Amino acid sequence: MISTMECAVDAQSLISISLMKIHNSRTQRGGIKLHKNLLVSYVLRNARQVYIKEKYAEIYRMQQYEEVMTVCNEIQELNPLDLEAEDAEDEEQARAACCVEEASACGSPCHRGAAHCRTAGTVAGCSLLEDGCKEPEPSYYRSCCMEAPPAPLCEQCPANSSAHCNKTTVLDLDTHVVTTVENGYLHQDCCCDALQCGQSAQSPAKKRKVEFGFCASDAEEAPDFTAARKRAKREDCSYSAPDYTDTSNISNLISIFGSGFSGLLSRQADLEQICSKQALASLGAWTRAIV
Amino acid sequence: MLCAGPGGGSNDVQWCFSQVKGAIDDDVAEADIISTVEFNQSGELLATGDKGGRVVIFQQEQESKNKLQCRGEYNVYSTFQSHEPEFDYLKSLEIEEKINKIRWLPQKNAAHFLLSTNDKTIKLWKISERDKRPEGYNLKEEDGQYRDPNTVTTLRVPVFRPMDLMVEASPRRVFANAHTYHINSISVNSDCETYLSADDLRVNLWHLEITDRSFNIVDIKPANMEDLTEVITAAEFHPNQCNTFVYSSSKGTIRLCDMRAAALCDSHAKLFEEPEDPNNRSFFSEIISSISDVKFSHSGRYMMTRDYLSVKIWDLNMESRPVETYQVHEYLRSKLCSLYENDCIFDKFECCWNGNDSVVMTGSYNNFFRMFDRGYQQDMTLEASRENSKPRSVLKPRKVSTGGKRKKDEISVDSLDFNKKILHTAWHPLDNIIAVATTNNLYIFQDKLI
């Protein structure tokens, strides 16, 4: 009997069902049925295609969320009197992450970021943000999503809703090298970039609520974004940027979360684990510049 | 020829229950599961094969003026073990004894011949009657004991005397070791000398007299098995043209081949394919487009294919699309995921034509079977069940409710029993008698004679 409710056509469950069928066919009487296994492999292929598409889309959405949170945090940390010493360092990094972004032709996100920086009294570093943001290496940019920045991103850029954010000019304070990077498609690694869009205008209280909601499912996670970043900082980042592929990104994510992808949105700290060492190192350069 | 229901239609045929064969109890032994059903060319004999490797042949009684219905009943004529389970020691594989197909040879003398096949081996069986036996031997007693020659004083000529009818089945030929993959079809050529056998990747041509040699006429095995994209699912010779045959594939295509063109018929003479409807694309599109059966019409002008949800009639002169398409159980389209989970989506339904090619029939779930009248464009759903098994009771058409509101006497899709499936049906070549196989029972229905 077929259940009354039609089963959820979930790509992931179809994959596991199909693999189970192939496995069971090996012990069936009469030998492996070529026809049936061929048909099962077609289902497997179809489900895998959908699964990969969904996962990429999910990771991309998650990156967006993280960028937003970065900016939110930036705004919160503008008041230096509230901060401890250790947090101050995090703030710098957060600000750096905020500032290191794909600047659009509109330039408004970076301006906003620059405004934050100026407000915080770090004119020297942020004045460089006029043209864009620091981009020490192309590999610093997010890599998980294979697609060009889709329209939704730019919808949130109030000044320029149609253009893709795809060009960044970066000055490395250590080496005094100016780099212009075009990134329509994503480069290696790191979800830690901070593409700025409209949500930076949100109130801090609202953002904090959103963040808490995402983290509610995991008791271990600190609701505070800065605390999470502290934890991420201390952990080893074991993946080198240039070789880091999207596939290994996903597989690492899977290994981090065990069986499934659920709860991915709350694991911002884990995301930062897979950022490249160079990405974190570049943050260090910024902190020196800013301080 | 098709009944449109009580009180309806212009060419009224009402289907009545006639007989049911098989065990009554619900606990079905796996060996008793019917795996093939086939009438012979005259319709007098009806053969079934089962998963246990047995063949049971029913014979229609001679029409008796005394009985109410003028058609004779089908009674067991012969039962024999056709195939036994085997073991391939080289590959460490067990070979199932299940009878995949039975095909009758056209009758040439008093004996009947049929081909039966399992996954690997085809056998030619001779079914003959013995109703006389010789009596009056000189050197043998009546009980068979030998006499001492010294006691023989007179000589006599032995004579044939009548005896109780005995039906003997003897294997006359065994066609083995020609198929690496599982045999899905056999088909006797109209020349009555050759036949074809098809497995997942190859079609072989045999001569009925020669068992140690067969010719490979189609080979779709790719050089690298990783490149495999389709398999052969069914094959059949044209009923009139001894040079023509078709084979269907798991991709929903049918290829017609002409053996005069080349020794190896890898390149087809015609390719029948209907483009896929992109709106119906799903995870399971490839599965439901796989063809499970192909049958030529008796005339040879058309062929019919069965895929998971539909029956299609093709005109051999038009390759681009079928001329008729009949939905068997379209309400299952939204259930494909569940059907995939419980393996029902892999069920291989067969289809058949009636004697004059005006009606086609195929099976479905819940022991339903469907008939499509091509002329009157009517379809009917009937059920094979013990509840409707009063002799000569008229079968009531069934309906599956697909909308929200279920009418009285309708069955909702969720109430269907997917363990009760009718995969094998057969239609008497000359009369309105049908044989419908449920899991382990064989139902015989006939039209009501006034």
Side-chain angles (χ1 to χ4, degrees), chain A residues 183-201:
Chain A
N183 40 343
Y185 276 82
L186 300 172
H187 301 277
Q188 294 292 10
D189 224 351
C190 197
C191 311
C192 279
D193 79 281
L195 178 70
Q196 289 318 303
C197 289
Q199 293 186 30
S200 57

Side-chain angles (χ1 to χ4, degrees), chain B residues 191 211 246 417 431:
Chain B
D191 65 7
T211 59
V246 294
D417 188 344
D431 204 350

